[in-house]
Amino acid sequence: MTPDKSLSAVPYYYSSLACGLTPYVPGEQPKDRKFIKLNTNENPYPPSPAVIEAIRNAANENLRLYPDPSCSVLREAAAARWGIKAEQVFGGNGSDEILAFAFAAFFNSAYSERPGQQAVSARSVEPILFPNISYSFYPVYAALWNIPFKTPELDREFNINPQDYKQNCGGVILANPNAPTGKALGIKALKEIAEAQLRNKKVFIVDEAYIEFADSADSGSMIPFINEYPNMLIIHTLSKDASLAGMRAAYAVGSEELIGGLCRIRDSFNSYTMDRLAQAASAAAITDTAYYSEVNAKVCRTRERTSAALADLGFKVIPSQANFIFASPPSDAIKFFAALREKGFLVRHFNRPLTKDWLRISMGTDAEMDALVQACRQIISENNRK
Ligand SMILES: *Cc1c(COP(=O)(O)O)cnc(C)c1O
């Protein structure tokens, strides 16, 4: 990497690792002013009452004790929900943390040599693959661990071409549904990628942050197929579909070998990533499928009516399988973003060449989305008067 001018602003006592990083920039969490917050894909509805109850019950004198490092209650809840073994589940402090562990556990760094293992250090390190438009934390983790990567391009409709991910490489990670586009690949295509990478002896990570909002006939979680693909790791955050972004809780599912790899990294970093409250909350959330399927079906209905309303106003709207909409306003997106902010609505704009004309709008309640559509209508008519 060529040093850029920002490096000169870094204090001299930062490590070369710290100097070289380009950290992820999270969506704004405003403190100064009341916004309708549609910028970080949080769930507009509260967590299940069973979750609040579980947190209350865990808030007791046992907090003086370290939590269970293996997150048993979460693992058992996930095992029961998905009909798998508890040993095939890993609990983590948000899926960002699990992703960081997974990159370290399964993807090779360009500069690492394993002591005493000539074969690995002699092999040139193959780049991992993820789409050029996807969750913007992936390149950040790759840079953190010095993992080379390539980013196959989406097509003009933001579709992933599954063929791109069947080639020899260092491993594959896909968000499915993808962010920020909201487009999902079907189960058949994902199985083909898993199969190709199994033959290639590489790990395929599927980040299912939004899978509970995917309701097309051919899409769904890959968790039922983990026994067919011992190289496939599924990551499932509870931030979005379980309304627990504030709790920091997620789990990963895969073969016992993959889970063992994650444990190796975790236990070289921090053995107690999930606190007692987060473990109790997660187990309750994973168990209360009745509550969440109702809540998330409501979010999907809101997505459909909001998509239709924005299209009526002249937005280009990508059909979404997630709890957000990727839409291009009928006039300059940066100005539109600013105008919405002025009117009290926070959405997300990714100022990069391929996404600069688009806004990612998280789904709020129906009332919030009606207000957003109204604000968009006003902005468009104000623009027309200019
Ligand atoms: C939100 C999001 C995450 C992060 O989830 P946390 O569990 O809150 O860390 C991971 N991947 C994708 C694709 C996301 O959109």
Side-chain angles (χ1 to χ4, degrees):
M1 246 173 29
T2 49
D4 67 326
K5 59 181 183 313
S6 66
L7 286 188
S8 58
V10 170
Y12 68 89
Y13 41 73
Y14 278 22
S15 68
S16 50
L17 170 67
C19 287
L21 298 177
T22 313
Y24 177 75
V25 183
E28 185 179 350
Q29 296 289 349
K31 292 177 202 77
D32 50 337
R33 176 181 161 191
K34 196 126 183 61
F35 283 101
I36 293 186
K37 209 177 155 298
L38 307 172
N39 67 335
T40 50
N41 298 344
E42 290 140 334
N43 202 305
Y45 301 108
S48 141
V51 169
I52 305 297
E53 175 78 11
I55 295 171
R56 282 217 181 88
N57 291 339
N60 61 34
E61 62 188 12
N62 283 339
L63 284 172
R64 74 189 175 79
L65 300 171
Y66 280 108
D68 168 15
S70 72
C71 308
S72 306
V73 291
L74 177 156
R75 299 174 97 182
E76 277 150 27
R81 168 165 181 199
W82 294 102
I84 56 179
K85 291 195 275 183
E87 291 75 21
Q88 294 172 314
V89 184
F90 179 91
N93 184 25
S95 61
D96 287 340
E97 182 191 74
I98 300 180
L99 284 164
F101 291 171
F103 273 56
F106 308 122
F107 299 150
N108 270 316
S109 154
Y111 304 132
S112 73
E113 293 192 7
R114 278 203 251 165
Q117 293 194 5
Q118 198 54 38
V120 171
S121 54
R123 190 178 67 197
S124 70
V125 174
E126 292 167 296
I128 63 164
L129 303 175
F130 51 82
N132 63 335
I133 300 172
S134 191
Y135 185 36
S136 37
F137 231 131
Y138 302 152
V140 175
Y141 290 129
L144 173 63
W145 304 123
N146 237 315
I147 297 160
F149 60 93
K150 275 199 195 140
T151 55
E153 286 176 19
L154 303 186
D155 74 13
R156 281 213 221 113
E157 265 79 58
F158 297 118
N159 293 305
I160 288 174
N161 178 1
Q163 219 52 37
D164 291 339
Y165 300 92
K166 296 180 193 172
Q167 53 182 306
N168 284 355
C169 61
V172 172
I173 176 157
L174 295 177
N176 193 60
N178 197 13
T181 65
K183 284 215 155 175
L185 280 179
I187 287 172
K188 185 168 168 286
L190 291 166
K191 280 180 147 188
E192 285 170 13
I193 296 168
E195 181 74 46
Q197 292 309 330
L198 183 60
R199 264 181 274 126
N200 191 25
K201 299 194 172 60
K202 291 300 180 330
V203 170
F204 175 34
I205 301 176
V206 191
D207 181 351
E208 293 191 344
Y210 303 104
I211 197 68
E212 303 280 328
F213 306 101
D215 50 10
S216 80
D218 64 342
S219 66
S221 176
M222 293 302 280
I223 292 178
F225 309 106
I226 55 163
N227 292 330
E228 284 172 54
Y229 307 107
N231 62 327
M232 184 172 70
L233 185 76
I234 316 299
I235 302 182
H236 197 131
T237 177
L238 297 169
S239 294
K240 281 74 183 234
D241 62 52
S243 311
L244 285 177
M247 196 80 239
R248 310 309 297 129
Y251 60 99
V253 173
S255 62
E256 290 179 51
E257 290 76 14
L258 289 176
I259 301 308
L262 292 175
C263 292
R264 261 180 107 84
I265 300 295
R266 179 194 63 201
D267 296 335
S268 307
F269 178 76
N270 170 11
S271 293
Y272 303 107
T273 58
M274 283 195 102
D275 64 55
R276 287 174 168 267
L277 305 188
Q279 293 191 29
S282 302
I286 293 166
T287 304
D288 197 352
T289 50
Y291 173 84
Y292 284 111
S293 56
E294 196 174 306
V295 158
N296 293 329
K298 203 150 67 169
V299 171
C300 291
R301 287 196 294 275
T302 304
R303 175 189 73 204
E304 295 312 309
R305 57 192 285 282
T306 308
S307 298
L310 291 177
D312 278 348
L313 291 180
F315 280 66
K316 260 183 277 169
V317 180
I318 304 295
S320 171
Q321 290 284 286
N323 68 342
F324 56 83
I325 295 170
F326 203 45
S328 178
S331 58
D332 183 86
I334 297 185
K335 289 192 185 135
F336 215 98
F337 171 88
L340 278 172
R341 198 172 191 288
E342 196 59 35
K343 293 186 187 299
F345 295 87
L346 274 188
V347 300
R348 197 91 198 259
H349 178 254
F350 298 94
N351 201 6
R352 286 190 291 269
L354 296 165
T355 51
K356 66 175 176 30
D357 296 333
W358 298 78
L359 299 175
R360 192 196 66 188
I361 305 167
S362 311
M363 286 306 103
T365 61
D366 278 328
E368 288 172 329
M369 300 322 284
D370 289 347
L372 173 97
V373 170
Q374 183 56 27
C376 290
R377 191 175 291 120
Q378 275 175 11
I379 293 166
I380 291 165
S381 73
E382 283 160 16
N383 284 345
N384 288 345
R385 258 182 272 127
K386 276 180 205 155

